[in-house]
Amino acid sequence: MKLSDEAEEILETLWISAKEKKQNVDLNYLKLARDDPPVKELLNLGYIAILGDETQLAGRGRKEAESIVRRHRLAERLMLDVLDLKKELMNEAACKFEHLLYKEVEESVCTLLGHPKVCPHGKSIPRGRCCGKMDRAISPVVSSLIELDAGQRGRIVYLHGKNDKELQKLMAMGILPGMHIQIIQKFPSYLLQIGQTQVAMDEKMAEDVYVRRER
Amino acid sequence: MTPKKLVIVGSPNVGKSVIFNTLTKRYVTVSNYPGTTVEVMRGKAKIEGREFEVVDTPGMYSLSPMTEEERVSRSILLIEKPEIVLQVVDAKNLERMLPLTLQLIEAGLSLVLDLNFMDEAQKLGMKIDLSGLEAKIGIPVVATVATEGKGFNLLKKRLAGYSQRSAQSVDYDQIIASSIREVENLLKGTYPISKRSIITLLLQEDAEIESLVRLKEVQDYPSIKRIIQETRNRYSHPMNYVFGLYRQKKASQIADLVTTPSSFRNLGPGERLSRWMMNPFAGLFIALLTLFGLYLFVGVFGAQISVDFLEKVVFGRYINPFMIEVVRRTIPWHFLQNLFVGEYGIITLGIRYAIAIILPIVATFFFAFSIIEDTGYLPRLAMFVDRFFKKIGLNGRAVIPIVLGFGCDTMATITTRTLETKKERIVASFLLALAIPCSAQLGVILALLAGKPKSFSIWAGVVALNFLFMGYLASRVLPGEKPLFYMEVPPLRWPKLSNVLSKTYSRVEWYFKEVLPIFVLASILIWAGKITGVFGLVIRGVEPLVRGIGLPSEAAAAFLYGFFRRDFGAAGLFDLAKRGGLSGVELVVAVVTLTLFVPCIAQFSITIKERGLKTGLAMVAFIFPFAFLVGFLLNLALNLLGVKL
C-alpha cells in the first residue's frame, strides 16, 4: 500500500530528528493534530506512536522512514551528479522526487550513482539492499574511483571525505571536482594521474573520490 | 641600508632549493626554525646591486597548514614580513599550483611568480603564454629552468625592480562576500596579511588565526565569532572544501586561458623506469638491488675499507701514539692518563670511535641516502610498501624513517614526527628502538659475521621476524585510527651533486654536534665507573642474565657498553670473538640479543623527548627483558636442534 505524501514527510522528519538530531518531536512542532488524516493514517498502520507530547516511530514505521530518507538523499545525488541541476533547485525537486521513487527504481538509481554514501549536504544515506551486494547490473554513471579499472579515466564529481583533514589532503594533491583523473595502477597501491601530477594513495582514500567515467 | 627580505615559497618538489642556491652564493646558514626540527635555509644575495636576505621555506600546498613544515612556512610569511615573496611553481602543473598563488595574492603579499621546469613543460608540448598570465593575474611572471641556470636574468630584474600592481584574486559567492565585508569593518588591529585573507582563514576554522584575532580584537571578538559561525552554518560542506573549490575554479579558468595543454603523454625512459619501480614484481627487484647497492657502498666501502684505513693507519700509526706520548709527558698521574688515552679513554676510545668508525659509515650512508632521496625513489618505495606496512600499523610514509634508521636510529626517531597519527609515531619509534640496527652497529655486526653465511641468515631472519611480529602485535594492541596513505610522486630526476653534497654535509655536521659529546661523555662515565667500581657491580648483576642465554660472563661488559653506544657493545663482542671467546652458536645468540637490546643513550633520550617519559620508559622496560627472552629461546632452539655454526 502506498502512503500519502504528507505521511511520508512526517516519517522523514521523525527519522531525521531521532537518528541525526537525537531529539524528540511533539505534534505541535510539526503543526499537526492527532486527528489530521496523515497522522491517523500512520497511527492506524502502527507506524508511529504518540506518548504524551512525544511522537515516535514504531514498528515497521522505522524501516519505512529510513527508506524515505534514503530516497530523498539519493534523489538529491541524482539531481546534482547526473542531471547537473543547480543546488537551489535540488532540494525542492528532491522533495517531490522521493515520493515517486519506488523500491525497484530506488535500487537502480542507487546502482547508477555508484552506491553513494553521503548526500550533497554531507549527511549519510541509509544503506539499501543493493549496496551490500554492490549490484552492477546497470553500469553506473558515477562511481567511486576504486570501481574503475587500471587505465580508465574519469572526471571527478565530488569528494566524500570523512573529515576536513582528509578533504584538505585530497585537495592539496590537486584532486578536486571537475579535474580529470586517470588510474595508472591499483596494486600494491593506487597510482593516479591528474594533469601532469602523479599521486599515490591507499584504497581507503581512493574510495572517497567519486568520478564520472570517461572514454 | 638594511637588506630587503625575499622569501621563496612553493609546493614540495618544484626546485625552490636550486633557485635559492643560485641566488645566494654567500653566507648560507641552515638552522632549525625555533621550537621545531624543520630546517630553514637563509642566505645573503646581491641582486642587481641591491642587498637581499633570502629565506628558503619548506614546501607548502596552501595557507592552511596540515604539517609542521607548512606551519613553519606560514609563520615565516606572517612573522618575518618579507618585502618580496617569490612563489616557485612547476610549470607543467600550473593549474594545480595557481590556487596557492591566488591565496598569496589575496593575502596582500608582494608576489613574483616563477614557472620552473619550463623545459619539461615544453617537452610535453605545453605552451604557456607568460605575458597573458601576467596580465590575467596582475603580478610579475617569469620562467626558469633552474637546474640549467636559465631565466635568472629576468627573474633578478623582476625581483630587484619589483613594483606593485593591481593583482587579481578569487571572487566568492554573496554569502561569503557579505560576511567578509561585515567582519572587515570589525577588524581594528593591524595584521601581517590582508584582512580579507584573515577572514577567509577564520571561516576555515584556523585555530592559530582565531587566537590571533581574539588577542587583537578584545571588544568585538564575540560579534566576529558570531558572524563567522553563522556563515559557516549556511554551508553543508566543510569551509576549506568550499574555499578550495572557489580557488580551483578561478585557477582552472586562468590556466585554460593561458596554456595550450600537452598533446601527448609522457612515456619516456624515466616514466617507464618509474612504473617498474612501482610494479609488484619489478619493484621488489629494484628495491632489493637498491639495498644491495647501499650495502656495497656503506657496508663494504664505508664500514670496511674506509674504517680500516682510518683506524689502523691514521689513528693506529699516527694519532694514538702521538697523543699517548703527549699525555704521558704532561700528566704525571696514571689514573688521569687513563681518562684520556686508556683502554676507554676520551681520545683513544671516544674520539677514535667517533672519527675512525662512525664518521665513514655515517658519511657514506647519508651520501647514498641523499642520492636516493634526490632521485625521487623514496615516494615510489613508500607506495610500494604501503600495503605491507599497514599490517604493522604504519603507512608507506614510514619507510623513510625506517630506512633512515639503518643510518642512525636517533636521527630516524626525530623524523618519526613527520608521521601523522600518534599511533604510527609510537610504533615507528618502538620498532626503531627494537629491531633496526644503525649503520655503526651494522658495520661491526657485518664484520663479526663476515664469512659465516649461515650465522648471518639466522641473525637477519630472527631480527626481521621480530620486526614484523612485534609491529603486527603493536598495531593490534595500541589504540588509534588506521593511518591513511597519500603522497605526491614527483618525476624521477638526476640528482645534482652539489645538492647531495650540501645535504650530506649538513646531516653529518648535525650528527657530530649531537654525537661527539655523547661519545666523550660515555668515555668519562666508563672511566669513572671503572675507577669507582660501580661498573664491576653492574656487570656482576648482568652476568647471570648473560649466562642464562648461554654466553660466557665476559660478554656482560659488552651489553653494558652497548647502552652507551649500540656499536660499543658490538665492538666489545668483536674483541671477545677475536680472542676466540665465543663459539659459533654463542656468537649468533649474542649478536641477536645485542641488536634487539635497548637503544643507545642518544636514541633513548630522543625517544623520551619525542614520545614522553612514560612511553619511553615503557619501551625500554619491554625491550630489555624481551631481548634476553629471544636470546634465551634462540639459544635453546639452536642447541636442541643441534645446529653447528
Side-chain angles (χ1 to χ4, degrees):
Chain A
M1 200 214 72
K2 180 86 177 77
L3 287 170
S4 69
D5 289 1
E6 293 80 10
E8 288 193 338
E9 293 289 341
I10 296 173
L11 287 180
E12 187 179 4
T13 313
L14 288 176
W15 191 90
I16 292 171
S17 306
K19 291 274 169 151
E20 285 169 0
K21 299 188 184 147
K22 307 277 177 214
Q23 61 193 25
N24 294 316
V25 180
D26 69 77
L27 278 180
N28 296 330
Y29 174 78
L30 298 174
K31 300 197 179 73
L32 285 168
R34 232 187 141 92
D35 46 6
D36 283 339
V39 179
K40 271 208 268 185
E41 180 187 349
L42 290 170
L43 279 171
N44 286 340
L45 284 166
Y47 282 8
I48 60 169
I50 301 181
L51 307 162
D53 284 342
E54 267 177 37
T55 315
Q56 284 179 351
L57 291 169
R60 277 192 26 88
R62 294 192 193 94
K63 268 244 95 54
E64 199 60 43
E66 185 179 285
S67 142
I68 295 162
V69 173
R70 176 170 148 78
R71 279 178 297 187
H72 179 95
R73 292 181 180 168
L74 277 176
E76 285 181 335
R77 277 253 85 102
L78 184 71
M79 306 281 158
L80 196 71
D81 300 342
V82 181
L83 306 180
D84 252 349
L85 242 59
K86 286 274 164 302
K87 243 190 173 164
E88 301 83 69
L89 284 173
M90 183 181 74
N91 193 46
E92 206 183 318
C95 273
K96 299 212 172 95
F97 214 83
E98 71 188 53
H99 306 301
L100 300 174
L101 219 51
Y102 291 101
K103 196 122 219 125
E104 297 69 32
V105 189
E106 164 206 318
E107 291 196 350
S108 305
V109 168
C110 186
T111 307
L112 183 77
L113 296 172
H115 307 284
K117 293 189 181 122
V118 285
C119 77
H121 302 98
K123 301 225 173 72
S124 76
I125 298 176
R127 313 263 71 194
R129 261 192 318 150
C130 62
C131 305
K133 290 187 295 184
M134 276 306 225
D135 250 342
R136 259 174 241 104
I138 308 172
S139 90
V141 176
V142 174
S143 61
S144 164
L145 203 53
I146 60 171
E147 299 291 324
L148 268 63
D149 298 324
Q152 281 193 309
R153 293 157 197 270
R155 194 182 166 94
I156 302 171
V157 180
Y158 63 96
L159 307 178
H160 158 42
K162 275 143 201 124
N163 52 47
D164 280 28
K165 278 265 167 281
E166 196 193 321
L167 281 176
Q168 214 181 331
K169 285 170 196 164
L170 287 167
M171 289 193 296
M173 299 291 116
I175 297 177
L176 279 145
M179 300 298 240
H180 294 273
I181 193 166
Q182 184 186 15
I183 301 189
I184 300 177
Q185 72 178 69
K186 296 177 81 167
F187 188 88
S189 301
Y190 278 75
L191 184 64
L192 311 170
Q193 178 102 31
I194 308 111
Q196 295 299 330
T197 309
Q198 287 186 2
V199 178
M201 63 175 65
D202 57 22
E203 193 168 277
K204 268 249 145 38
M205 251 175 123
E207 196 183 5
D208 294 340
V209 180
Y210 282 76
V211 297
R212 190 196 289 255
R213 285 161 199 256
E214 280 179 349
R215 253 297 332 125
Chain B
M1 203 178 75
T2 52
K4 286 189 168 186
K5 190 170 275 186
L6 166 66
V7 171
I8 306 178
V9 299
S11 349
N13 307 308
V14 293
K16 289 186 297 294
S17 304
V18 181
I19 289 178
F20 172 85
N21 285 332
T22 315
L23 288 177
T24 57
K25 287 264 156 44
R26 311 162 293 152
Y27 316 117
V28 174
T29 57
V30 184
S31 62
N32 285 350
Y33 196 75
T36 68
T37 51
V38 178
E39 280 180 352
V40 176
M41 307 250 277
R42 290 164 198 276
K44 293 231 166 67
K46 203 165 192 147
I47 301 174
E48 306 267 301
R50 283 168 181 250
E51 291 286 336
F52 279 92
E53 187 199 339
V54 189
V55 188
D56 184 17
T57 61
M60 74 191 301
Y61 287 108
S62 78
L63 272 187
S64 307
M66 287 186 290
T67 60
E68 201 181 12
E69 277 88 357
E70 286 184 287
R71 205 157 287 127
V72 167
S73 299
R74 188 173 83 166
S75 298
I76 292 174
L77 287 177
L78 291 186
I79 294 166
E80 304 199 5
K81 302 208 178 77
E83 269 84 8
I84 299 181
V85 177
L86 172 64
Q87 188 199 355
V88 183
V89 300
D90 178 348
K92 304 190 293 299
N93 288 307
L94 185 63
E95 185 177 4
R96 181 160 82 82
M97 303 200 166
L98 274 178
L100 177 61
T101 317
L102 294 170
Q103 250 185 322
L104 295 170
I105 291 175
E106 185 175 59
L109 298 161
S110 308
L111 193 66
V112 175
L113 181 64
D114 174 25
L115 312 187
N116 195 21
F117 296 123
M118 211 45 191
D119 52 337
E120 291 183 5
Q122 275 159 4
K123 243 183 251 164
L124 286 167
M126 275 177 89
K127 287 201 187 69
I128 302 174
D129 170 12
L130 292 182
S131 53
L133 180 58
E134 209 163 52
K136 195 76 203 128
I137 49 174
I139 54 166
V141 178
V142 295
T144 53
V145 182
T147 44
E148 291 169 26
K150 284 186 191 156
F152 277 90
N153 285 338
L154 192 62
L155 173 62
K156 285 179 181 170
K157 273 208 189 78
R158 290 286 181 272
L159 290 174
Y162 185 81
S163 61
Q164 190 84 46
R165 310 180 200 186
S166 61
Q168 277 282 309
S169 190
V170 190
D171 301 315
Y172 303 110
D173 58 39
Q174 269 305 311
I175 302 173
I176 294 176
S178 78
S179 132
I180 288 177
R181 263 197 310 277
E182 276 179 66
V183 180
E184 242 170 3
N185 291 329
L186 292 172
L187 291 179
K188 303 275 163 30
T190 49
Y191 293 90
I193 53 173
S194 77
K195 289 180 181 169
R196 183 185 168 90
S197 183
I198 292 280
I199 299 163
T200 59
L201 290 169
L202 281 180
L203 284 167
Q204 293 171 77
E205 296 179 60
D206 192 302
E208 220 173 292
I209 299 294
E210 260 171 39
S211 52
L212 177 74
V213 173
R214 190 180 308 133
L215 210 71
K216 297 216 171 184
E217 315 293 337
V218 184
Q219 222 186 338
D220 286 329
Y221 187 70
S223 0
I224 294 171
K225 186 148 180 111
R226 188 179 44 78
I227 300 172
I228 297 290
Q229 197 58 52
E230 279 169 9
T231 313
R232 273 189 214 150
N233 286 345
R234 297 184 65 176
Y235 291 85
S236 43
H237 288 296
M239 290 309 279
N240 55 21
Y241 185 63
V242 175
F243 278 97
L245 290 183
Y246 278 119
R247 283 195 292 267
Q248 189 59 57
K249 200 169 137 200
K250 177 90 181 179
S252 299
Q253 244 172 38
I254 297 173
D256 276 353
L257 276 175
V258 301
T259 55
T260 322
S262 141
S263 44
F264 56 93
R265 300 196 33 80
N266 173 19
L267 260 178
E271 180 62 21
R272 218 162 294 149
L273 178 60
S274 162
R275 301 267 170 102
W276 284 339
M277 284 172 169
M278 292 181 278
N279 175 294
F281 304 105
L284 185 64
F285 180 72
I286 293 175
L288 292 176
L289 203 70
T290 309
L291 274 183
F292 186 66
L294 197 65
Y295 162 76
L296 281 186
F297 187 64
V298 180
V300 178
F301 173 72
Q304 291 168 30
I305 301 172
S306 314
V307 169
D308 260 13
F309 171 75
L310 282 172
E311 197 177 20
K312 293 205 179 110
V313 180
V314 178
F315 272 85
R317 275 195 219 150
Y318 301 100
I319 297 180
N320 281 356
F322 174 74
M323 289 313 289
I324 290 172
E325 198 51 36
V326 169
V327 169
R328 290 226 169 109
R329 280 195 195 168
T330 45
I331 302 173
W333 305 284
H334 183 67
F335 80 98
L336 247 187
Q337 284 175 3
N338 272 348
L339 172 60
F340 293 99
V341 294
E343 193 187 346
Y344 296 101
I346 294 176
I347 295 165
T348 41
L349 180 89
I351 294 181
R352 175 174 66 95
Y353 251 85
I355 292 177
I357 298 185
I358 311 301
L359 176 68
I361 298 177
V362 169
T364 46
F365 179 84
F366 286 144
F367 182 73
F369 187 78
S370 302
I371 290 179
I372 295 175
E373 200 179 18
D374 280 11
T375 55
Y377 180 53
L378 288 175
R380 290 170 172 80
L381 188 62
M383 125 18 131
F384 185 74
V385 301
D386 176 62
R387 197 173 278 264
F388 163 72
F389 264 39
K390 289 266 169 59
K391 302 257 188 298
I392 54 172
L394 297 171
N395 85 46
R397 224 168 252 266
V399 82
I400 295 167
I402 297 291
V403 172
L404 196 55
F406 286 105
C408 169
D409 282 303
T410 308
M411 190 182 237
T413 305
I414 294 179
T415 61
T416 56
R417 62 164 65 174
T418 58
L419 301 177
E420 251 170 87
T421 63
K422 194 175 165 204
K423 178 176 169 173
E424 282 173 276
R425 292 193 288 267
I426 292 178
V427 173
S429 0
F430 172 68
L431 290 176
L432 285 170
L434 179 74
I436 304 292
C438 66
S439 59
Q441 193 185 22
L442 208 53
V444 186
I445 289 174
L446 289 176
L448 264 173
L449 301 178
K452 300 190 181 74
K454 234 159 96 188
S455 307
F456 178 80
S457 350
I458 291 177
W459 167 77
V462 172
V463 171
L465 213 65
N466 270 294
F467 175 81
L468 298 180
F469 182 67
M470 291 319 292
Y472 177 74
L473 220 60
S475 79
R476 285 292 158 112
V477 172
L478 288 172
E481 52 193 313
K482 288 226 158 72
L484 286 173
F485 171 71
Y486 70 100
M487 217 173 191
E488 194 179 335
V489 182
L492 289 175
R493 294 188 174 118
W494 282 109
K496 259 195 109 190
L497 187 65
S498 60
N499 234 15
V500 169
L501 286 177
S502 82
K503 259 192 211 175
T504 310
Y505 176 77
S506 78
R507 281 176 172 146
V508 172
E509 188 193 9
W510 169 87
Y511 188 80
F512 260 74
K513 265 194 224 146
E514 296 287 308
V515 168
L516 198 62
I518 296 175
F519 271 93
V520 173
L521 187 73
S523 297
I524 297 176
L525 280 178
I526 295 175
W527 171 78
K530 287 193 103 162
I531 283 197
T532 54
V534 174
F535 262 38
L537 280 175
V538 180
I539 289 176
R540 235 162 291 142
V542 184
E543 271 174 9
L545 274 174
V546 172
R547 276 199 301 274
I549 61 172
L551 297 182
S553 313
E554 288 94 319
F559 283 93
L560 183 61
Y561 298 146
F563 180 64
F564 290 100
R565 287 298 306 171
R566 278 184 153 190
D567 49 294
F568 270 27
L573 287 183
F574 191 71
D575 288 342
L576 197 60
K578 259 205 297 213
R579 280 188 274 117
L582 289 172
S583 72
V585 171
E586 282 169 357
L587 182 67
V588 172
V589 172
V591 172
V592 165
T593 314
L594 201 73
T595 308
L596 299 178
F597 192 55
V598 284
C600 73
I601 255 186
Q603 189 186 354
F604 180 53
S605 59
I606 290 292
T607 306
I608 284 179
K609 210 168 116 198
E610 296 283 318
R611 298 288 92 81
L613 185 64
K614 233 173 70 189
T615 314
L617 286 180
M619 280 184 199
V620 172
F622 173 81
I623 292 173
F624 182 77
F626 180 76
F628 278 96
L629 178 69
V630 173
F632 176 76
L633 292 176
L634 180 64
N635 182 46
L636 201 67
L638 291 177
N639 281 325
L640 280 178
L641 295 171
V643 178
K644 292 269 173 295
L645 292 168

